[in-house]
Amino acid sequence: MPAGEGKRHDGRAVAVSARIGVWLIGARGNVATTAMIGAHAIAREATATDGMVTERAPLTDLDLPAVESLVFGGHDIQAGSVVETAERLHERNGVPDRDTLDAVRDDLATIDDRIVTGTARNCGRTVAEIADDAAFDDETLSIREIVERIRADYAAFREDESLDRVVVVNVASSEPMPTDPDQYDSIAAIEAALDADDPLPASALYAYAAIDDGHPFVNFTPNAANALGGIQDLAERENVPHMGRDGKTGETLLKSALAPMFAGRNLRVLSWEGHNILGNRDGEVLEDDANKAGKLQSKGGVLDEILDDDIHNRVRIDYTPALGDWKTAWDDIRFQGFLDTQMKLQFTWEGSDSALAAPLVLDLVRLLAHADAQDEGGLQPHLASFFKDPLGVDEHDLSRQFERLSEYVDRHTNAATTEVETENSP
Amino acid sequence: MPAGEGKRHDGRAVAVSARIGVWLIGARGNVATTAMIGAHAIAREATATDGMVTERAPLTDLDLPAVESLVFGGHDIQAGSVVETAERLHERNGVPDRDTLDAVRDDLATIDDRIVTGTARNCGRTVAEIADDAAFDDETLSIREIVERIRADYAAFREDESLDRVVVVNVASSEPMPTDPDQYDSIAAIEAALDADDPLPASALYAYAAIDDGHPFVNFTPNAANALGGIQDLAERENVPHMGRDGKTGETLLKSALAPMFAGRNLRVLSWEGHNILGNRDGEVLEDDANKAGKLQSKGGVLDEILDDDIHNRVRIDYTPALGDWKTAWDDIRFQGFLDTQMKLQFTWEGSDSALAAPLVLDLVRLLAHADAQDEGGLQPHLASFFKDPLGVDEHDLSRQFERLSEYVDRHTNAATTEVETENSP
Amino acid sequence: MPAGEGKRHDGRAVAVSARIGVWLIGARGNVATTAMIGAHAIAREATATDGMVTERAPLTDLDLPAVESLVFGGHDIQAGSVVETAERLHERNGVPDRDTLDAVRDDLATIDDRIVTGTARNCGRTVAEIADDAAFDDETLSIREIVERIRADYAAFREDESLDRVVVVNVASSEPMPTDPDQYDSIAAIEAALDADDPLPASALYAYAAIDDGHPFVNFTPNAANALGGIQDLAERENVPHMGRDGKTGETLLKSALAPMFAGRNLRVLSWEGHNILGNRDGEVLEDDANKAGKLQSKGGVLDEILDDDIHNRVRIDYTPALGDWKTAWDDIRFQGFLDTQMKLQFTWEGSDSALAAPLVLDLVRLLAHADAQDEGGLQPHLASFFKDPLGVDEHDLSRQFERLSEYVDRHTNAATTEVETENSP
Amino acid sequence: MPAGEGKRHDGRAVAVSARIGVWLIGARGNVATTAMIGAHAIAREATATDGMVTERAPLTDLDLPAVESLVFGGHDIQAGSVVETAERLHERNGVPDRDTLDAVRDDLATIDDRIVTGTARNCGRTVAEIADDAAFDDETLSIREIVERIRADYAAFREDESLDRVVVVNVASSEPMPTDPDQYDSIAAIEAALDADDPLPASALYAYAAIDDGHPFVNFTPNAANALGGIQDLAERENVPHMGRDGKTGETLLKSALAPMFAGRNLRVLSWEGHNILGNRDGEVLEDDANKAGKLQSKGGVLDEILDDDIHNRVRIDYTPALGDWKTAWDDIRFQGFLDTQMKLQFTWEGSDSALAAPLVLDLVRLLAHADAQDEGGLQPHLASFFKDPLGVDEHDLSRQFERLSEYVDRHTNAATTEVETENSP
Ligand SMILES: NC(=O)c1ccc[n+]([C@@H]2O[C@H](COP(=O)([O-])OP(=O)(O)OC[C@H]3O[C@@H](n4cnc5c(N)ncnc54)[C@H](O)[C@@H]3O)[C@@H](O)[C@H]2O)c1
Ligand SMILES: NC(=O)c1ccc[n+]([C@@H]2O[C@H](COP(=O)([O-])OP(=O)(O)OC[C@H]3O[C@@H](n4cnc5c(N)ncnc54)[C@H](O)[C@@H]3O)[C@@H](O)[C@H]2O)c1
Ligand SMILES: NC(=O)c1ccc[n+]([C@@H]2O[C@H](COP(=O)([O-])OP(=O)(O)OC[C@H]3O[C@@H](n4cnc5c(N)ncnc54)[C@H](O)[C@@H]3O)[C@@H](O)[C@H]2O)c1
Ligand SMILES: NC(=O)c1ccc[n+]([C@@H]2O[C@H](COP(=O)([O-])OP(=O)(O)OC[C@H]3O[C@@H](n4cnc5c(N)ncnc54)[C@H](O)[C@@H]3O)[C@@H](O)[C@H]2O)c1
Ligand code: NA
Ligand code: NA
């Protein structure tokens, strides 16, 4: 199959005239860059759409904004550029390959002009070290002032690019968790914290600014952001669609597919050891135990929810530079079956981390834009399958999470059909 | 947790007075023997019920016959005894362990008295070689006569043991597939074949005799048996519940859990290589390509149904004596994701083959007895999750198959509740 | 092959009349217990000698003490007994199996009478917690007094059992490393430390007492013991054979077999990640980072010595109770070959830790007794293949280490032959 | 490290003025093409020399012809070109990468002019199908005539390129083994077979022509060629250095590194299962059982030689197109240790097949040219480490094979030193 002819749908969506802005927090990072490369490569028919959930049936029946209609911009705190990140991804990992990179290099350069300095406030020591983009003086500003600045950046993007809608996506580095996140469980608590220059992490500031201004928001990271109760209340009040957290792309994806098998067969899981090695910047940041804590937390829930056994469940994440952006997860699962027999499953998963994550970013943008267009504010439980720790959703069984997505599609396509039928009926 | 206190339900079912007969075709084999060891060890509280699907919620809410109420008998064609098979399983594989074996040895000896010689007619060269139980002269009888004999064996078991119901389960060796199975797609065709002494394989004779006489029937093997259209029609006509085929215990179980993950994420599977090594008698019989063909066929459907990609899908089954009754499956899956990136998953599954299969045999007996008590004849699609090639069911997604089982339970427990409520209402 | 008929040599060694005492530090531990079970099971012809290096050619040509001639005793600091450890090993791991255990239970009970309380001085918090054998008041004694007590225990064993020779083997738990081990690099420094009640760890006290009294000594652990320079000097002065440290039984064994392959083919190793999971007491002690440090250090040298590349080399050791005494090592090796191509090797090693270690303990006892009989004092470089960190030897290539062992055998068997020939010549 | 600065030695060898011709049988194949890409990329300093044995110590001390001095030509029987093969290798496998390919494309095009049509006589059905290079009419020529033609091709290459020496390397597809190879165990038998137009396979014709004309010969394939006794005698008589057979690049390499570990530790190997999947042309040809037979045979010897156990040893080679030129070997090894405990090792090896093989081709050319310059004719046992089935050598232990290579270097560098010293002495 020639590149670009993949499983593309019939072009109907392309007709949608809306221009959708995608504002990426961490825009010069690997996931952000890979998402932008992919969107433009698809638009230029230089690649297929494998890996995009919104490009498989029945989601292709939804009236989603076209990938071609997406306009990118964003915040980052390290110097450099999307083009540089793209070159490095090509050199070190072979993804994208050279032809694809050549096809979109100019598009990326254009995006680079729309990336502005963000804030690294309360993101921990390791992130502070990489924050060499000097223009934004974090030290002197109050967090209220930082929020105003972020708000202005969102607005300028919308205005400058004549966008119909801006979806904000957090794909920045993992931050340390705030101490006692429950203290921020109301809108009032959040406002008070902002007033008091409390050590709210950057992710919460980006999320607050987005939701307060009505921009749909996706938290693809394990960061606090919209996981805080007060931000969720704000989204309810403002009727802004949002979802998170932490994209489910590797080991946790497999856990959510495999654990239901053990549960359904009444096989008692005794231990589930996961060892992840990865060699990219994300791996480097996760070397810092403070930053790793949130990641381990968001990875932890799956097994507990699906298996009611009291299992020994450990996840290791180690930085191995030779792997570049590739991640290898090795999992060892021991379980007890009939006649108290101990048995095991071991798996090795090897993927390009960003190639797994990036299409989901595009999917989420399209689906949040859809929800926003339908005035469906608040958390989006039908998007649970995309996240390690789906906010507001207890269901971790992957197939059942997919069911919810299908049901959402059914609801919207049947409604459409019904309406059409109604309209056409005499 | 002390052995025997596992996840046992509250004892309600034990109260059911019914005596259920379990007639095992291949009764001296590993799966049959392990099922009998397990049932008696559970009855003697010498082991837990891990691995039994009917012992997990919500199935524990169904009014199923108690494990303790099961009475075993069966056919085999090799000399030897269940006690000997049990000893060998203990020596070579450690399953059962010595204490468990000691606890049930006398029970097994009692069962040995109820095992009679079956037929190896049209089971292929390899099975013929192991058929050293000399009493049943296959060579001289017509297949009509063989059927009569089987019929009489079923009836005698029921009578001798004062059973309320007999469920027949085929756990005999894999046979070669009959040439052109479609020729047997009506009751008339089956009857004509019986009259003409046509080379119908033994499994079909056992199935015909069972269903024609109203005994619920399970085909745990890849054999023709009730997969033949004519036998299915007969079960419809006689309103006898039956299901098959080929218990889903290892690699195929994993495929049905993992393939939906690739499909749901729009990850294009390019190749799925499966290499199975096992060291038991089943492995020895499957060394014979004729006998292996059916197994490979029943394993083949899962991926084709779930993934619409045109994938390279090969399954190897090799006999490695050192493994004893343990089976190792190594699978290598290559898939293509975003930006045409090729990635992979590899897994190793190591289980005691019979310990995986045996609890399902007990589950199926209980569930078929339940269906029979409810007058639910014909194929039982809610049991699809138990089989590699679920007869009459296209759904191979494991989670969705489990859903069907839950829905069945819901139907029956709500019905019960409703009835009760109705009864109690003024 | 019937148990016990294995690869046993011709019985010549059995004729050797010497009674050899084996004094095990950590005698109630898994390795010690498994060594004692094995020696007695071999003596009773209840098992084969697989796994013993001294039972393969050409070592069978050496005039070694017979396994049957070994008499066991030792120190431990936890309450309990060898019989209890043996029962637990059987229950949790299946090694030994029940028949073997039954065959040697009485032998083990006899040994239990010869086990006395040792010292847990300076073995760290975790070891202190398990030291519940109350008879030996560590708190009140000076370390000189402790040494005297150990000395007396060795002497009493020799006397009571009428032994020709006692070999002391340290198979106790891993201790934290002493601060700055180089401070103990002379006999004088050791003596001064003993006088000053310096925090020398228990392993050094056991080693000092053994070597000062002329007992050959084996350090099977990563502990300081005879790795200290002063102890090595003492062994030279007293002409006592000794060797260590840390038995090479799993991952490191594989590294020493595989790393030469990469070196010999000029394949540049970029990273070597090792993840070990184990569920026994040793694993529990190694959960404590202080105790783990020594282990990681002794594991670390192999790759550095064999590969001159600057590789990323990490070893994880995690405690996973479900594994019992079984250990799984998963290693992931990335290397660069021709045309800068990155490739990889991954392996999974699954062994019963004690079954791998115990035969080596017997081998080392026999080989040290041999050296002692030949007046070969000091370090024993021909035993390098047995250790992760072979004291005084830089060679880590397993095959070359085996060569040295063969050369030792050659030297001794040719010498013997030559002597005989000389004697017979006119 | 910048490409090209790798582990290159000091340039001394570059000074050697000799022009060495490398005549590749199968010149448009993957291994040949990769060797030519690599040699030219090294000459152009576009890559490092990792993977070349002759570029590590102590081989760098030998006076070998420089990689830069190699001049390539060869035979093939399929149409196409080296440039096309190189493009395909880049597209499908990423090896070489684009920059390297660009650096050498012109060099490859020059080589393409020196590739002439060879013979596919008696290479089996599958090779016949790919033999679409129409110029050489195999059907009408006698095999004597074919030999004359090959002879002339070698001579013309030498003359046209003004070469000091031509080394012929067989890297053509695997052929079916001739029936009863022992019938060709003398020079007379070979000559008679040539006269009688006997079905000698092509590899034997290429080998005969090379050796009879004094060209050093390497058999990198499992083919008969110089494995035939008569060809070996011819090489002795003509004093021509030659070696084979079947390059040891993957699974067998690992076996020769790992099996000595089991032997040295007296661990009884019970079974060694190897499953290879690969996706290149070689894999396609090996789908044909006739062609696979020779490969399986040359892979088979290693374990038998190193382990005297009677092990269950199976090797599967399966064609999986998605892998391209990458090969994955999965091996499962069960072994028995102390107390009859069964344990296991499993490994997965993933390499670019041609990147593993190609540097060895260059090594062998350099080392055979060296032997030839030293008048060392006949088999070259010091090169055993390069081959799965080293002709004339029983030693399969990789480390010992490497020892032999080191000893060869020692002999030659000490000799050189001695000579030099002698020369310089007064
Ligand atoms: N790759 C995956 O598969 C995957 C899956 C789930 C979640 N995630 C999460 O996505 C995030 C991004 O991953 P990545 O691989 O692209 O990492 P990356 O390190 O390549 O990119 C992160 C980017 O965020 C920037 N950044 C850091 N703090 C910032 C801040 N406060 N404001 C603005 N920009 C900031 C960094 O400078 C960097 O450019 C991480 O949190 C990661 O945990 C990734
Ligand atoms: N163990 C599993 O995980 C599993 C999973 C799915 C299906 N199965 C199927 O279950 C069946 C039994 O497996 P097993 O491991 O117990 O094999 P087994 O070889 O141990 O037992 C089969 C028994 O059937 C007997 N037999 C053969 N032909 C017969 C006949 N015509 N009539 C009566 N008895 C006959 C044999 O003598 C033997 O005792 C096989 O068909 C196998 O493919 C097993
Ligand atoms: N394969 C292997 O099992 C292996 C390989 C290499 C090294 N080792 C080392 O061998 C040692 C023993 O391993 P194990 O698995 O038998 O551990 P274990 O925990 O089962 O046994 C250790 C025993 O030592 C005793 N002990 C602890 N401190 C002591 C002291 N100061 N004096 C006397 N006794 C003391 C403990 O009470 C325990 O009984 C460990 O240091 C381990 O690292 C084991
Ligand atoms: N790649 C490895 O790691 C490796 C290792 C050991 C041995 N080998 C052997 O090396 C050989 C080459 O492997 P490859 O991967 O390059 O295969 P390939 O199929 O890519 O190349 C073989 C080439 O030989 C040509 N050929 C076939 N028969 C011929 C004949 N009679 N005369 C001249 N040319 C002929 C083919 O047309 C093809 O171009 C194979 O025999 C393979 O088994 C390869
Ligand atoms: Na699922
Ligand atoms: Na070696």
Side-chain angles (χ1 to χ4, degrees), chain D residues 24-33 75-79 85 88 118-121 123 127 130-131 170-175 202-203 206 220-223 246-250 280-283 285-286 295 325 327 352-358 388:
Chain D
L24 298 162
I25 318 293
R28 294 178 191 127
N30 288 341
V31 173
T33 299
H75 284 120
D76 208 304
I77 49 90
Q78 59 154 323
T85 303
R88 203 179 52 236
T119 177
R121 190 64 65 92
C123 292
V127 170
I130 63 174
N170 191 340
V171 282
S173 308
S174 300
E175 307 161 348
S203 69
Y206 290 119
F220 204 78
T221 74
N223 297 341
D246 209 1
K248 182 159 77 173
T249 56
N280 56 20
R281 162 69 56 89
D282 190 33
V285 170
L286 293 173
K295 189 58 125 189
D325 187 50
K327 178 154 67 181
S352 165
D353 225 19
S354 305
L356 287 162
K388 289 193 186 72

Side-chain angles (χ1 to χ4, degrees), chain B residues 98-99 344 346 350, chain C residues 98-99 344 346 350:
Chain B
R98 178 102 71 97
D99 291 334
K344 72 169 156 291
Q346 294 166 327
E350 307 205 313
Chain C
R98 177 100 71 96
D99 292 334
K344 73 170 156 289
Q346 294 165 328
E350 307 205 315

